[in-house]
Amino acid sequence: MDTKSGRKKLFIETLGCQMNVLDSEFVAAALQERGYELTPRIQDADVILFNTCSVRQHAEDKVYSALGRLKHRKRRQPDLIIGVIGCMAQKDQKLIFHRAPHVDLVAGPGQLHRVPDLVEQVEYERRRQLAVSLPRNAGPRSRIEESFETFEEYDPDRLARFRTGGFQAYVRIMMGCDKFCTFCVVPSVRGPEQSRPPQAIYEECKRLVDRGCVEITLLGQTVNSYRYRHGDGRVTRLSDLLAAIHDLPGLRRIKFVTNYPRDMTDDLLEAVRDLPRVSPYLHVPAQSGSNAVLKRMKRGYTVEEYLEMVDRVREYVPDAALASDFIVGFCGETEEDFEATCELVRRVRYKNCFVFKYSPRPGTKAYERLQDDVPEEIKRRRNNELLAVQNAISLAQNQALIGRVFEVLVYGPSPAARSRDGSTLQLAGRTHDDRIVVFDGTPGLVGKFVNVLVTAATPTTLIGTTEIERYLPVELLAEPATGAN
Ligand code: SAH
Ligand code: F3S
């Protein structure tokens, strides 16, 4: 407790995807509304929450070891409230209390609206609280209906005064996922796919922009599958949403993640082409370049269909920056399958790729029916090899941008470099097509757009300067900053 203000302190650690970052923002705001004060120091906290991820084993192990480190502290400080929320809470449920008996609170992603009440209940009743949604595949239809209801939409009115970094925001447009890729735990922990009403999304975006937000990222597990059917039968698609929010005064950039390859429709690509504030950045995970593997993953497309989609993207938006996720070492993946994945990466020439070693997840079809038969050291080698293929492509793309000027939205101090004398520091931001740029500047630039000349490049980062006139002849400066290829 803060002895000066008398307010209790909340520490919240977020693992996993942007959806979790957004959920943490909501939970933190709701608790601040109840009088808690947010602290960045876990040792000062009266309430510690872990907002967890279940996508891979590693993310879960991290939480269990963090919980392990709190065991002695809880003994010394019995009033300390420790909570596990998010996807691992939904997946492991009571098991968390068995593995970490000092945990007080477990709440799944469909129950986050209850967290402030649950914290108070722990405080006053001194009893453990568990709030999870019913399983999706639990027997008779009535249970399934129930489970549908128990995954509550959690997009409360944004409590603006508690927002940090107000120049950018995530906005959820869909919850859950119904694709059931065989490796993926998301459909069971995040529940059924549900699109939010467009009016609610528009109003949320408007409120954010009215308060100075310049970049909005629309979120969904398969964001381009967004479809909202109105009472009169009209359907709103993602392309309609983009058009609706595009002209909000003050909004400068709109992004959307993550895309499902089969739903990359022409209307969406037209919207990306025609709406200048929509970033020409498309994260469309392929997962594998082998048809046999894609089939076992139940991804619902072949490599040929994926490549057709890429061709269509290039046709509509020639300068689009594509990104992907890949899983290496999935059940039954042969050397030839893996080589096919490398080939796909070489063909598409992504801006960047996230590569993951397959991690079997209880509750998924692959876990139940397929053997995790690729040894760990082979997974690791394939992971490194695929990254090396992508890194060479990213480096070549980035080096080709040296000498060009980009409009960069400054996100904050670069995580890699600290302030030297305090007056200037290395800042990091992104171009319109999502490339990371670092350059020296003053802290006051955070949240602003600046023109940066690229002077050097690594596979992941463009390195630049704002002192453009020192490098470029004046006549070139007359040209406006451009987007990347
Ligand atoms: N559509 C979601 C996908 C969530 S999981 C999104 O918003 O990104 C993110 C990525 O993790 C997936 O694209 C996949 O590449 C990877 N992943 C999912 N399950 C996995 C598993 N069991 N093992 C390894 N990687 C996995
Ligand atoms: Fe997971 Fe596939 Fe959905 S990767 S989030 S089940 S589209």
Side-chain angles (χ1 to χ4, degrees), residues 438-463:
V438 300
F439 60 96
D440 284 348
T442 54
L445 291 177
V446 175
K448 306 261 168 28
F449 287 89
V450 288
N451 286 343
V452 178
L453 169 72
V454 177
T455 54
T458 73
T460 52
T461 311
L462 299 170
I463 299 140

Side-chain angles (χ1 to χ4, degrees), residues 98-114:
H98 289 295
R99 287 187 61 178
H102 52 298
V103 168
D104 302 287
L105 161 84
V106 169
Q111 303 290 318
L112 296 180
H113 56 290
R114 293 173 59 193

Side-chain angles (χ1 to χ4, degrees), residues 96-125:
I96 296 173
F97 294 134
H98 289 295
R99 287 187 61 178
H102 52 298
V103 168
D104 302 287
L105 161 84
V106 169
Q111 303 290 318
L112 296 180
H113 56 290
R114 293 173 59 193
V115 168
D117 285 346
L118 296 171
V119 167
E120 276 176 15
Q121 259 162 297
V122 172
E123 203 176 335
Y124 295 118
E125 297 171 20

Side-chain angles (χ1 to χ4, degrees), residues 2 5-11 31-32 35-39:
D2 185 336
S5 67
R7 285 167 68 191
K8 294 206 167 168
K9 292 196 166 178
L10 165 71
F11 172 87
L31 280 163
Q32 282 170 280
Y36 281 86
E37 191 177 324
L38 209 52
T39 174

